[in-house]
Amino acid sequence: MLIDIQQANANAIAAIQASQPVLKGIGTALEVVPGMKKNLILHAGPPITWERMSGPLRGAVMGALIYEGLANTPEEAEKLAATDKIEYSPWHEHDGVGPMAGVGTASMPVWILEEQKGGRKTFCTLNEGLGKVLRYGAYSEEVITRLKWMETVLAPVLKAAIPLAPEINLKNMIAQALQMGDEVHNRNKAATSLLIRELAPAIVKTSFPETDKARVLEFMHSNDHFFLNLSMPAAKMMLQAAEWIEGSTIVTTMCRNGTDFGIR
Amino acid sequence: MLIDIQQANANAIAAIQASQPVLKGIGTALEVVPGMKKNLILHAGPPITWERMSGPLRGAVMGALIYEGLANTPEEAEKLAATDKIEYSPWHEHDGVGPMAGVGTASMPVWILEEQKGGRKTFCTLNEGLGKVLRYGAYSEEVITRLKWMETVLAPVLKAAIPLAPEINLKNMIAQALQMGDEVHNRNKAATSLLIRELAPAIVKTSFPETDKARVLEFMHSNDHFFLNLSMPAAKMMLQAAEWIEGSTIVTTMCRNGTDFGIR
């Protein structure tokens, strides 16, 4: 059988351009990410075993095991991580993306994106900010404390706010932000600003204590990378639309885990 | 006596560049604008009498008289406006600026800007949005209702929020917004976004009802020109720093009232 590669690629481009990722909500990874399990650690890039992991990815895994209560100390975590009690899988096999080390575990809140016309979903954790953070491999107490606050305050407030806000079409928001100087990877100031002004009235309308609402707005305001964890799953959703189109030579995934690079 | 014009101009430029306008707060025009009186109408541009005013400026004056309760109908307002019971003066003679018709009266809330190191202040009303608004000469009930809401809800909420927010250096904010594609006259999307994210946590921290806070955030979000009424008095403050420097040939004010154009 002959395949018309040009036609297949045209179909792929059309599928990418037709995709309209919208912000659907926030959920707990265990409940919403396909195939998620309590002993599963999702990570950036292609599949990898503990033995071959780079330092930052190992650090993030150790932090995640402490965060999940599966280990009490970094030493315990390091031992546990090397056993077959813990499984590893790439975010890209679970309709998600992970920035940097990209470690995601069962209790973590995740953004849920959906095609505007319904159907496919993509996922990503919430951005922790810069400095000592899990995605750069840090696992100190301050990192775990912040992750717990994100789970117990940030995520519930945003989860309640999103249905009270107008629908957020992330493709449109990214298009606007690109015109304002962002590239929505390492510069997300405009996109983060646009997201804040869209969500702020809805955050006020939730029934959480004022201190929580103010802290959530301050957290987003203090972190110009906050939008990164939305631009990534939005890009994932648009490119995923072109995955597995027979004969298409368009690369839909490029990723790395700190050791290997992978394409799809 | 000979004057060194080059030196005078260098001094003027240095004074403009040294100016650091910060957002100080919000006040009622009658209480904070120098020389404000209950029967005084401030307007854009150079001095002008009712007889020579353009249609939009006349319309704005009529709306302002109704808003102030000095007239009950447009007809009453039109008659009153032509008598010597009402006085007119340019904003520029009261350390302020007025966008478009630029009409300002005693009860209107105004932004208060101040030099960071203390001292000079400048003023401007709050931006009403686009469409049927006083500054374009509209005086229908919807315009007056919005102005009353701005006086009784928007301004008090923002007035309470500003001291709870970090100091806002408007020169820095404008510099950032210029890098994001604004020119802070007819395009203020970035600056308005930056202002919202700075004020949102503080708005939440005020003791106003949730519905008022949400409405204030929605109002700012719905109006990308919201920052215009801050960029104008910020520019005024910076240029005012160079006013009356003997021998300087730098124009510090250019303005129009719909009939005449003036420079200073």
Side-chain angles (χ1 to χ4, degrees):
Chain A
M1 189 185 100
L2 287 173
I3 291 171
D4 183 342
I5 291 177
Q6 263 192 333
Q7 185 57 50
N9 284 345
N11 292 347
I13 294 291
I16 291 168
Q17 289 178 335
S19 175
Q20 297 287 347
V22 298
L23 179 56
K24 193 71 185 173
I26 285 184
T28 302
L30 185 64
E31 292 162 16
V32 297
V33 175
M36 195 66 207
K37 297 188 294 185
K38 285 197 174 176
N39 68 332
L40 179 64
I41 293 187
L42 301 181
H43 57 78
I48 190 166
T49 57
W50 172 258
E51 290 69 32
R52 297 187 62 250
M53 279 181 198
S54 66
L57 181 49
R58 282 193 177 199
V61 166
M62 287 157 60
L65 291 175
I66 296 169
Y67 162 76
E68 289 290 344
L70 298 173
N72 291 312
T73 63
E75 294 70 27
E76 264 184 52
E78 197 172 5
K79 272 185 208 155
L80 177 63
T83 70
D84 58 7
K85 284 181 188 151
I86 301 301
E87 297 176 30
Y88 300 97
S89 184
W91 263 111
H92 282 291
E93 295 184 2
H94 299 262
D95 296 336
V97 273
M100 296 305 291
V103 161
T105 51
S107 309
M108 287 186 189
V110 291
W111 293 112
I112 306 170
L113 278 62
E114 197 175 86
E115 274 290 358
Q116 196 165 34
K117 59 179 191 294
R120 291 183 309 110
K121 290 189 175 73
T122 55
F123 307 92
C124 188
T125 55
L126 277 60
N127 194 284
E128 313 161 75
L130 293 174
K132 270 198 190 174
V133 286
L134 193 76
R135 75 177 184 285
Y136 294 153
Y139 50 78
S140 63
E141 201 181 320
E142 130 196 22
V143 176
I144 309 302
T145 303
R146 189 190 304 110
L147 287 175
K148 279 291 166 195
W149 176 82
M150 290 171 68
E151 177 191 329
T152 55
V153 179
L154 178 67
V157 169
L158 292 177
K159 183 179 180 172
I162 291 166
L164 304 177
E167 181 182 76
I168 295 176
N169 181 317
L170 292 161
K171 187 173 171 179
N172 292 352
M173 195 171 269
I174 289 168
Q176 172 71 70
L178 292 176
Q179 297 295 326
M180 293 166 78
D182 281 9
E183 33 71 304
V184 295
H185 176 210
N186 268 322
R187 183 171 167 92
N188 284 287
K189 192 176 184 85
T192 297
S193 303
L194 295 173
L195 181 70
I196 290 174
R197 59 185 280 185
E198 203 73 58
L199 288 180
I203 288 170
V204 169
K205 289 176 187 168
T206 66
S207 56
F208 288 87
E210 297 305 279
T211 46
D212 286 349
K213 296 179 195 176
R215 188 73 196 86
V216 164
L217 285 163
E218 281 167 347
F219 183 77
M220 292 196 288
H221 175 40
S222 70
N223 174 16
D224 278 332
H225 281 67
F226 194 71
F227 190 81
L228 171 65
N229 293 36
L230 283 170
S231 62
M232 285 181 60
K236 171 82 181 162
M237 173 163 288
M238 292 185 268
L239 288 164
Q240 216 182 30
E243 264 179 20
W244 320 126
I245 291 185
E246 203 179 354
S248 167
T249 56
I250 289 171
V251 174
T252 55
T253 307
M254 294 194 296
C255 61
R256 84 287 166 275
N257 54 33
T259 305
D260 307 314
F261 182 79
I263 64 168
R264 191 185 267 172
Chain B
M1 189 184 100
L2 286 173
I3 291 171
D4 183 342
I5 291 177
Q6 263 192 332
Q7 185 57 49
N9 283 345
N11 292 347
I13 295 290
I16 291 168
Q17 290 179 335
S19 175
Q20 297 287 346
V22 298
L23 179 56
K24 193 72 186 174
I26 285 184
T28 301
L30 185 64
E31 292 162 15
V32 297
V33 175
M36 195 66 207
K37 298 188 293 186
K38 285 196 176 178
N39 68 333
L40 179 64
I41 293 188
L42 301 181
H43 57 79
I48 190 165
T49 56
W50 172 258
E51 289 70 32
R52 297 187 62 250
M53 280 181 198
S54 65
L57 181 48
R58 283 193 177 198
V61 166
M62 287 157 61
L65 291 175
I66 296 170
Y67 162 75
E68 290 289 344
L70 298 173
N72 291 312
T73 63
E75 294 70 28
E76 265 185 51
E78 197 172 5
K79 271 184 208 155
L80 178 62
T83 70
D84 58 7
K85 284 180 189 154
I86 301 301
E87 298 176 30
Y88 300 97
S89 184
W91 263 112
H92 282 291
E93 295 184 3
H94 299 262
D95 295 336
V97 272
M100 296 304 291
V103 161
T105 51
S107 309
M108 287 186 188
V110 291
W111 294 112
I112 306 170
L113 279 62
E114 197 176 87
E115 274 290 358
Q116 196 164 34
K117 59 179 191 293
R120 292 183 308 110
K121 290 189 175 73
T122 54
F123 308 91
C124 189
T125 55
L126 276 61
N127 194 285
E128 313 161 75
L130 293 174
K132 269 198 191 174
V133 286
L134 193 75
R135 75 177 184 285
Y136 294 154
Y139 50 78
S140 63
E141 200 181 320
E142 130 195 22
V143 176
I144 309 301
T145 303
R146 189 191 303 110
L147 287 175
K148 279 290 165 194
W149 176 81
M150 290 170 68
E151 177 191 329
T152 55
V153 179
L154 178 67
V157 169
L158 292 176
K159 183 179 180 172
I162 292 166
L164 304 177
E167 181 182 76
I168 295 176
N169 181 317
L170 291 161
K171 187 172 170 179
N172 291 353
M173 196 170 269
I174 288 168
Q176 172 71 69
L178 292 176
Q179 296 295 326
M180 294 166 80
D182 281 9
E183 32 72 303
V184 295
H185 176 209
N186 268 321
R187 184 172 167 92
N188 283 287
K189 192 176 184 85
T192 297
S193 303
L194 295 173
L195 181 71
I196 290 174
R197 59 185 281 184
E198 203 73 58
L199 288 180
I203 288 170
V204 170
K205 289 175 188 168
T206 66
S207 55
F208 288 87
E210 297 305 280
T211 46
D212 286 349
K213 296 180 196 176
R215 188 72 196 87
V216 164
L217 285 163
E218 282 167 347
F219 183 78
M220 292 196 288
H221 175 40
S222 70
N223 174 15
D224 278 332
H225 282 67
F226 194 71
F227 190 81
L228 171 65
N229 293 37
L230 283 170
S231 62
M232 285 181 60
K236 170 82 181 162
M237 172 164 288
M238 292 185 268
L239 288 165
Q240 216 182 30
E243 264 179 21
W244 320 125
I245 291 185
E246 203 179 354
S248 167
T249 55
I250 288 171
V251 173
T252 56
T253 308
M254 293 195 296
C255 60
R256 84 287 166 275
N257 54 33
T259 305
D260 307 314
F261 182 79
I263 64 169
R264 192 185 267 172

